Amino acid sequence: MPVTEAAYSPFMERLPRYRTGDPELDAAVAELVTRAGATGHVDLVFEMIVSALRMARDGAARGDFKIANSALKEMRYAFHVFAPYRGQRKVAIFGSARTMPEDPLYEQARAFAAAMAERDWMVITGAGPGIMSAGIEGAGTENSFGVNIRLPFEAATSQFIADDPKLINFRYFFTRKLAFIKESHGFVLLPGGFGTMDEAFELLTLVQTGKSHPAPVVLLEVPGGTYWASWKRFVEDELMVRRLISPDDLDLLHITAEVDDAVREIEGFYSNYHSIRFVDRALVIRLHRLPSEEELERLNEDFADIVTTGRIEPAQPSPAEIADRDHVELARLRLRFDRTHWARLRKLIDAVNHPSTIHGASRPAPAPSDRPDAVSGDASVNAAGVAGPLPPADH
C-alpha cells in the first residue's frame, strides 16, 4: 500500500534551533510531526522528539530511558485528566496517610474540604488513606482528584475515589508533585510524617523562589495542637536566626487551627488578585478592580524595594495578551519586579486584596472572567509566569 505523502506545512521550512544536527533527520522529524496532524505547538512537539533521538545518540542507559519515558507518559495523562477542569479553582490537601478516622485531624480535614466544595472549589489529594481520604470524603468524589503514588507499603487507594476517572496513579514522586503544584490554586497541609514535611518545604521553596505561581499556603491544626507551632519554632530558631531564610519568608504561609480561618485565607487571596504574567520583562498583575490613585501611591511607597525601575502603574493588555486572549477584560498593574523577593510580592498581593489597609476606595474594573487562570501565555515561562521547569498552565 503506498504511503500517503504528508501535507506541506510552513513549519517544515522554519524549524526550531534545537535540532538533531542532521538536516535530513530534522526534515524527517518535521514531516512526522506534520503527518501526525499536530496543529498546535508543533515546535515543542518537534523538540520533544529531538530530545528522545538525542538520548539515543548519547547512548543513554536503559534506566535513563525508562525514567524519561515513564515521566512523560505520566505527565501527559495527568494533563489530559485535569484539562476539562482548568476553569475551576482547586485546593491541594496534604497530610498523613496514617491518620485514623477517629482522630480529630481527620474531621478537621473533612470539614475543610466540605467547606471548600460548598464554595465551588475542587480538592486534590494523594488518594490514599488518612488525611487524603478525609479530604475526598468531605468534598465528595465529584469534586475531588486523587493523585496517587504507587508504594508497596501503602497500596490502598481511598475507597471514596477508587474507581473515579479523576484518579491518577504515579510511579514517581516528582511527577506527582508537579501535578499538585501546577494544578492547585491553594494549599492546605495538616500534620504528617516525612512526606508531609517534604511537601511543605518543597512547596514553600517553589513559592519563595518564584518557581511556582503565588498561592496561599495554610498549615492547619486542631485547637490545642502543637505540630505546626513546633515546626514554626524550629524554622525561626534554626533557619531564621542563622539567616538561612528571610523573616519575610514566613509571610508565605498562614498557621491556624480553625477551618473557617483556613477557608478565608484561601478565598481571600483571590478576592481581588487574579493572576500574573511576565510581558516584556515586566510583571503584570491581573485584578478584578484597580486601586484608587491614593491606594496606588501608597503601594508605590510601600513596595518600592521590589521595583527595579519606574513605578507600579495601571496598564492596558499588551499585544501578546490580546493575541492570546489572555483575560483582556481584567484590570492590570504593571511593574518591573526584581524577581527575587517573592515573599514581598505576596505582601503586595495582600495589599491589593485588602484595600481597607490603604486609605481610599477602589474603583471597579470590567467584569471579571469566570476562568480562574493562575497564569498563562508566554511559552517561555512556567506555571508561575517565570523561567523554570514547570510547563505552561491555563488554570
Side-chain angles (χ1 to χ4, degrees):
M1 182 176 178
V3 177
T4 303
E5 187 172 328
Y8 169 78
S9 168
F11 163 69
M12 300 171 69
E13 299 294 332
R14 52 176 190 276
L15 301 181
R17 295 179 62 184
Y18 181 75
R19 308 178 188 180
T20 67
D22 181 332
E24 291 187 5
L25 184 55
D26 290 334
V29 174
E31 182 179 353
L32 175 63
V33 173
T34 302
R35 188 185 298 278
T39 57
H41 316 299
V42 291
D43 56 331
L44 299 178
V45 177
F46 175 91
E47 291 190 4
M48 292 166 74
I49 297 173
V50 167
S51 290
L53 296 176
R54 282 191 168 194
M55 284 185 67
R57 280 186 170 177
D58 293 341
R62 182 170 180 80
D64 295 340
F65 271 109
K66 289 175 72 174
I67 292 173
N69 182 41
S70 294
L72 183 59
K73 289 192 291 187
E74 289 184 354
M75 288 189 290
R76 185 216 65 85
Y77 183 67
F79 300 157
H80 170 74
V81 171
F82 278 105
Y85 304 92
R86 288 275 159 75
Q88 191 162 359
R89 294 205 190 277
K90 307 169 196 70
V91 59
I93 300 176
F94 299 106
S96 177
R98 305 183 187 189
T99 302
M100 303 303 292
E102 60 269 21
D103 191 316
L105 285 169
Y106 188 100
E107 173 56 27
Q108 193 82 324
R110 192 203 65 78
F112 170 78
M116 295 305 295
E118 288 176 359
R119 290 161 173 80
D120 295 325
W121 281 62
M122 301 184 79
V123 304
I124 307 175
T125 78
I131 294 299
M132 296 171 277
S133 261
I136 297 170
E137 181 183 357
T141 304
E142 67 279 7
N143 298 310
S144 301
F145 291 89
V147 290
N148 188 45
I149 186 74
R150 294 194 292 269
L151 296 174
F153 55 88
E154 287 180 2
T157 299
S158 170
Q159 60 177 320
F160 300 109
I161 202 168
D163 299 316
D164 194 275
K166 299 192 299 305
L167 171 66
I168 309 167
N169 291 300
F170 290 88
R171 179 178 181 181
Y172 298 120
F173 272 108
F174 75 90
T175 49
R176 178 177 181 255
K177 288 177 183 175
L178 174 63
F180 265 119
I181 302 298
K182 175 180 178 294
E183 302 295 343
S184 299
H185 300 85
F187 302 87
V188 170
L189 298 95
L190 290 97
F194 288 161
T196 301
M197 287 290 94
D198 173 60
E199 288 154 345
F201 280 114
E202 181 159 3
L203 171 61
L204 290 172
T205 299
L206 292 171
V207 177
Q208 177 206 43
T209 58
K211 294 299 183 181
S212 180
H213 51 83
V217 178
V218 175
L219 309 182
L220 181 60
E221 249 288 12
V222 292
T226 61
Y227 186 95
W228 292 120
S230 299
W231 176 89
K232 185 180 180 185
R233 279 198 302 274
F234 164 76
V235 170
E236 291 175 334
D237 294 346
E238 298 297 335
L239 305 185
M240 191 179 298
V241 168
R242 296 169 185 256
R243 299 184 180 181
L244 302 176
I245 64 170
S246 165
D248 289 337
D249 290 334
L250 287 181
D251 291 332
L252 297 171
L253 59 91
H254 178 71
I255 299 177
T256 185
E258 302 296 333
V259 167
D260 289 345
D261 187 37
V263 171
R264 282 194 299 270
E265 178 70 10
I266 298 292
E267 281 202 309
F269 186 82
Y270 296 100
S271 59
N272 188 20
Y273 170 80
H274 182 275
S275 52
I276 65 171
R277 173 173 175 170
F278 280 95
V279 179
D280 298 329
R281 299 184 180 181
L283 177 66
V284 175
I285 304 176
R286 278 87 73 102
L287 306 170
H288 297 308
R289 58 187 177 276
L290 285 172
S292 67
E293 291 183 5
E294 184 179 358
E295 292 165 356
L296 186 60
E297 188 61 33
R298 177 70 177 274
L299 290 176
N300 275 287
E301 292 175 3
D302 290 349
F303 296 97
D305 57 307
I306 63 172
V307 180
T308 58
T309 60
R311 292 169 50 86
I312 304 171
E313 297 178 328
Q316 294 297 317
S318 66
E321 291 172 291
I322 293 172
D324 294 338
R325 299 179 181 177
D326 193 2
H327 300 290
V328 296
E329 76 284 356
L330 291 174
R332 281 160 166 75
L333 291 178
R334 189 174 185 272
L335 65 146
R336 293 281 179 173
F337 176 52
D338 64 14
R339 297 195 184 215
T340 300
H341 297 92
W342 293 90
R344 290 286 292 145
L345 179 64
R346 167 59 199 264
K347 296 299 290 183
L348 172 58
I349 292 173
D350 287 343
V352 298
N353 278 330
H354 304 290
S356 60
T357 63
I358 303 174
H359 300 296
S362 297
R363 61 179 183 272
S369 169
D370 291 328
R371 299 184 61 214
D373 286 27
V375 296
S376 55
D378 194 332
S380 67
V381 299
N382 68 11
V386 297
L390 297 183
D394 183 23
H395 65 94

